[in-house]
Amino acid sequence: MADAQIVDLLNAALEAACECGDLPKCDVEIQLEQPPRPEMGDFSCNLALRMAKPAGRPPREVAQCLVQHLPESAVVDRVEIAGPGFINFYLRPTWLQDVVAQVLLMGEDYGRSDVGAGKRVQVEFISANPVGPLHIGNARGGPYGDALANLLDAVGYDVEREYLLNDGPDNTQFRLFGASLQARVRELLDLDHEMPEDGYRGDYIVDYARELINRHGRERLAGVPQDDDGHYEMAILGEEIVVEQIAETCRMLGVEFDSWFSERKLFEEGAVDRKIEELRDRGVVYEKDGALWLRTTDFGDEEDRVLVRSNGAKTYLMTDLAYVDDKLERGFDHCIYVWGPDHAAQVPSVRAGMAAAGVDPNVTEFIIHQIVRLTEGGEIVRMSKRAGKIVSLRDLIEDVGRDVTRFFLLSRSVDSHLDFDLQLAREQSEENPVYYVQYAHARICSILREARERGFATDDVTEADLSLLQHEDERRLMRWLADYPGEVTDAAEQRAPHRLAHLSRDLAATFHQFYGTCRVIDEEQPELSRARLALVSATGQVLRNLLGLLGVSAPERM
RNA sequence: GCGCCCGUAGCUCAGUGGAUGAGAGCAACGGACUUCGGAUCCGUAGGUCGGAGGUUCGAAUCCUUCCGGGCGCGCCA
């Protein structure tokens, strides 16, 4: 690609300038940008500005020096020094045409790269407690984690998607779920029963109870004791149904996990106990008030944290420490945790805990997404999980569809609060941005269909004379395609799938604009038609690639 | 009280160190089809980038502080 070639040229210039002593050696990353206006060239570099201080010379002088050492290149037409010291590159006009050919040649691989090659990354997301259906509150992590995984895969990482099931014996919520379920089961069986004070009261618990009776029968369930052990046993029985349901909802959302990790396994296989012993050996724990504490303050936390409660139960921090060991043992070089805002406060203690446990903090990365608020025509739709007033993710997807759900949830930065407007999502109109993007793709397919009907061969468009693409709007579209691979690597690096949503809208707009000014199929000008068909086909390819990363479909007709 | 996130056009949000001009969508107003999909396009209007300091060649972007909003702060997860 042209941009990579320019970076190589600049590196060579830098090296040459250092070698003959014109510039001091310094470690500066080369960043290329697109100048604000086309007259300023095709690419621009601020290297001289960044080097001015270490070199102790004015930026324009540094730029001059770099330009003198630039090797000859087949890509670059000329170079100018502009403004305070930018080096602007004007490329040979054919470079954009080469991009079109490149897209058609690479197909769905266009935009993929190998910067992450050889590294295994795990993205763990959603991981909602297995005590009920997924709802809109924990829905954001789904499309986000999935699209992030797509992005990391696109830049070459070996990626695995994992869902952590908080189903350990010491998980209070899980046991409470078991107790609530038992109450409903016994109620249905006309046995004595008692719903816990703060139990789960949603109707879905009754559905689970009914299904449990179907699967296991009265005798089996009535025999489960009404105590702590019994609650846990019921929770495990119920979990099977919950997980099936969650997996089904995820599939509806287009999310397939590679692994469902049961926290319970860490207990059953003794990993938790082994970890406690290891921490004792490291001398980073102590006992106080009957509990076992971790000296997280020695590792940057505000206060020490409890690992084992005075009643013997292990805390989430304890299982998190055993869990991260398991991840690393499975060979991941990097572990990404996508958490909801309610978990933001625990990140420092988990990181400190990992440091105390001897885990390199750089192998883990915590991404906190902000809340989603459901609105309908401006009115906030309130939810309460315990009381059972929730909007399930499943209902939402059935209501507005997978594409709309994903696009909406992915269209904002994870750092920002997000209002999901049901009314807007339902409208299949220009107000709904996902249709705008999909319409562009459908239109492209329609043009290609029409062209075939009129006798143009659209499958060997690589034969076209692309030098005929000289219109301003054609150049703008080609430039867009040229920049796409860089946008993908940026989005992956910044963990910012929302950029993809904006990019898709932008590409659709750029295409529609081209469509408005450039007649594609014109029997009077068959050569130009062939060239434009190549451009249209390339645009369709990139749009598909982009929507593929988002996990949104690219329909051929609407 | 402390921590995290946000504050950019009437509304919803991009942009997180670059250039003279801070951009989109929606809403408003005015235009464009006898031909490839009008679910489209073009134009007009709309801004103290929350306020104030600072860092530097250069700040919406980084730092400090204040103001406003959201979320969280348990031997629950």
Side-chain angles (χ1 to χ4, degrees):
Chain A
M1 309 287 158
D3 50 346
Q5 291 179 45
I6 293 171
V7 170
D8 288 346
L9 291 176
L10 282 164
N11 271 319
L14 192 53
E15 202 174 317
C18 290
E19 211 149 279
C20 62
D22 284 355
L23 290 173
K25 277 205 190 313
C26 54
D27 200 21
V28 190
E29 191 198 355
I30 294 184
Q31 306 165 330
L32 285 188
E33 297 161 359
Q34 188 173 355
R37 290 200 309 278
E39 311 89 83
M40 295 172 154
D42 298 302
F43 287 97
S44 152
C45 185
N46 62 4
L47 183 61
L49 289 158
R50 296 164 66 87
M51 284 186 68
K53 181 159 273 185
R57 294 165 63 181
R60 285 192 70 103
E61 208 173 292
V62 176
Q64 192 62 48
C65 180
L66 283 166
V67 169
Q68 276 163 9
H69 287 94
L70 272 178
E72 283 295 310
S73 162
V75 199
V76 178
D77 191 36
R78 63 196 166 90
V79 176
E80 274 179 13
I81 296 167
F86 292 101
I87 303 174
N88 291 346
F89 293 83
Y90 297 76
L91 305 188
R92 298 270 156 80
T94 55
W95 82 280
L96 282 177
Q97 301 154 24
D98 294 342
V99 169
V100 175
Q102 186 82 10
V103 173
L104 294 172
L105 189 69
M106 295 182 71
E108 61 186 27
D109 288 333
Y110 184 73
R112 294 185 64 90
S113 61
D114 58 1
V115 291
K119 288 210 173 129
R120 289 190 65 203
V121 179
Q122 186 203 58
V123 184
E124 183 218 311
F125 57 105
I126 305 184
S127 298
N129 282 341
V131 298
L134 295 178
H135 55 86
I136 184 81
N138 38 45
R140 196 174 185 180
Y144 177 82
D146 191 52
L148 177 60
N150 286 342
L151 265 175
L152 294 171
D153 174 75
V155 297
Y157 290 97
D158 183 3
V159 185
E160 188 172 292
R161 294 163 172 80
E162 179 153 290
Y163 189 115
L164 168 67
L165 295 163
N166 289 109
D167 56 4
D170 291 349
N171 185 314
T172 315
Q173 295 304 315
F174 192 56
R175 281 184 187 262
L176 186 59
F177 164 66
S180 309
L181 192 51
Q182 184 171 48
R184 291 302 189 201
V185 165
R186 295 183 69 89
E187 185 178 24
L188 287 169
L189 296 175
D190 285 324
L191 297 167
D192 63 298
H193 60 275
E194 193 182 346
M195 177 58 82
E197 183 87 11
D198 48 356
Y200 291 93
R201 295 175 186 277
D203 291 341
Y204 57 91
I205 297 286
V206 180
D207 297 336
Y208 296 154
R210 223 170 259 128
E211 179 61 20
L212 270 189
I213 294 168
N214 280 342
R215 291 189 188 190
H216 301 286
R218 176 190 177 95
E219 206 170 322
R220 165 82 175 83
L221 296 175
V224 176
Q226 297 189 75
D227 58 16
D228 266 5
D229 288 346
H231 297 159
Y232 185 46
E233 188 180 340
M234 287 299 292
I236 292 171
L237 290 174
E239 182 186 17
E240 187 182 308
I241 299 169
V242 177
V243 172
E244 281 171 18
Q245 194 184 63
I246 289 176
E248 170 65 18
T249 305
C250 287
R251 269 192 295 278
M252 288 170 67
L253 197 56
V255 179
E256 290 279 356
F257 285 95
D258 299 294
S259 102
W260 297 79
F261 188 89
S262 170
E263 177 191 77
R264 185 161 65 243
K265 216 177 71 177
L266 294 171
F267 286 85
E268 290 172 350
E269 293 176 355
V272 174
D273 290 334
R274 280 199 302 279
K275 191 68 193 173
I276 292 174
E277 286 318 302
E278 185 196 318
L279 292 171
R280 280 189 206 281
D281 292 344
R282 296 182 75 92
V284 291
V285 297
Y286 62 92
E287 304 212 15
K288 190 181 87 180
D289 304 331
L292 187 72
W293 297 71
L294 182 64
R295 296 184 193 280
T296 43
T297 41
D298 291 352
F299 299 88
D301 202 3
E302 284 177 352
E303 47 192 299
D304 288 343
R305 306 289 169 178
V306 170
L307 292 176
V308 184
R309 292 192 273 154
S310 51
N311 67 1
K314 280 80 173 175
T315 61
Y316 72 85
L317 179 59
M318 185 63 244
T319 48
D320 272 350
L321 295 180
Y323 179 40
V324 73
D325 277 1
D326 191 278
K327 291 183 189 225
L328 296 176
E329 276 164 26
R330 281 185 275 158
F332 293 108
D333 300 296
H334 195 65
C335 301
I336 297 177
Y337 295 73
V338 179
W339 281 359
D342 48 337
H343 294 257
Q346 67 187 255
V347 173
S349 57
V350 171
R351 292 192 74 98
M354 286 177 180
V359 174
D360 176 2
N362 293 324
V363 304
T364 60
E365 177 178 347
F366 295 86
I367 296 171
I368 305 294
H369 68 254
Q370 296 300 313
I371 57 165
V372 179
R373 222 171 33 171
L374 200 60
T375 61
E376 189 160 9
E379 292 288 304
I380 296 168
V381 182
R382 296 239 172 250
M383 290 182 286
S384 157
K385 190 171 186 187
R386 290 279 166 72
K389 283 170 60 183
I390 57 173
V391 176
S392 81
L393 181 52
R394 188 196 175 95
D395 290 347
L396 179 69
I397 300 167
E398 282 175 350
D399 191 345
V400 304
R402 174 203 290 188
D403 289 341
V404 170
T405 304
R406 287 188 68 117
F407 199 90
F408 259 67
L409 292 173
L410 284 169
S411 62
R412 303 273 180 269
S413 158
V414 280
D415 290 333
S416 290
H417 302 169
L418 187 150
D419 284 337
F420 194 115
D421 195 289
L422 274 175
Q423 195 177 307
L424 178 56
R426 285 194 194 105
E427 281 180 44
Q428 306 207 354
S429 71
E430 69 219 65
E431 289 175 41
N432 195 325
V434 68
Y435 297 113
Y436 177 86
V437 177
Q438 291 181 321
Y439 178 72
H441 187 262
R443 182 180 244 181
I444 284 168
C445 292
S446 170
I447 293 169
L448 294 174
R449 273 195 304 271
E450 179 71 18
R452 279 191 291 274
E453 274 175 30
R454 298 203 199 173
F456 285 94
T458 56
D459 46 357
D460 67 343
V461 281
T462 46
E463 301 293 312
D465 178 7
L466 298 174
S467 68
L468 296 172
L469 302 176
Q470 294 294 339
H471 191 279
E472 185 192 347
D473 290 333
E474 292 169 330
R475 294 186 63 82
R476 185 175 297 137
L477 186 52
M478 290 190 282
R479 178 63 203 236
W480 205 104
L481 302 183
D483 291 336
Y484 173 69
E487 298 288 353
V488 174
T489 47
D490 284 354
E493 249 171 53
Q494 295 176 25
R495 315 294 191 237
H498 75 279
R499 288 188 160 216
L500 300 171
H502 289 275
L503 284 171
S504 69
R505 220 238 157 247
D506 197 48
L507 177 54
T510 307
F511 173 74
H512 284 311
Q513 190 184 2
F514 154 81
Y515 177 87
T517 52
C518 298
R519 167 103 205 156
V520 179
I521 304 169
D522 183 355
E523 273 102 345
E524 309 274 301
Q525 305 186 72
E527 284 304 317
L528 181 61
S529 294
R530 268 189 281 278
R532 286 184 170 166
L533 283 166
L535 177 56
V536 169
S537 181
T539 303
Q541 183 66 59
V542 173
L543 207 43
R544 269 195 301 285
N545 295 357
L546 197 41
L547 288 170
L549 290 174
L550 284 164
V552 171
S553 68
E556 296 190 4
R557 297 169 202 271
M558 292 173 70

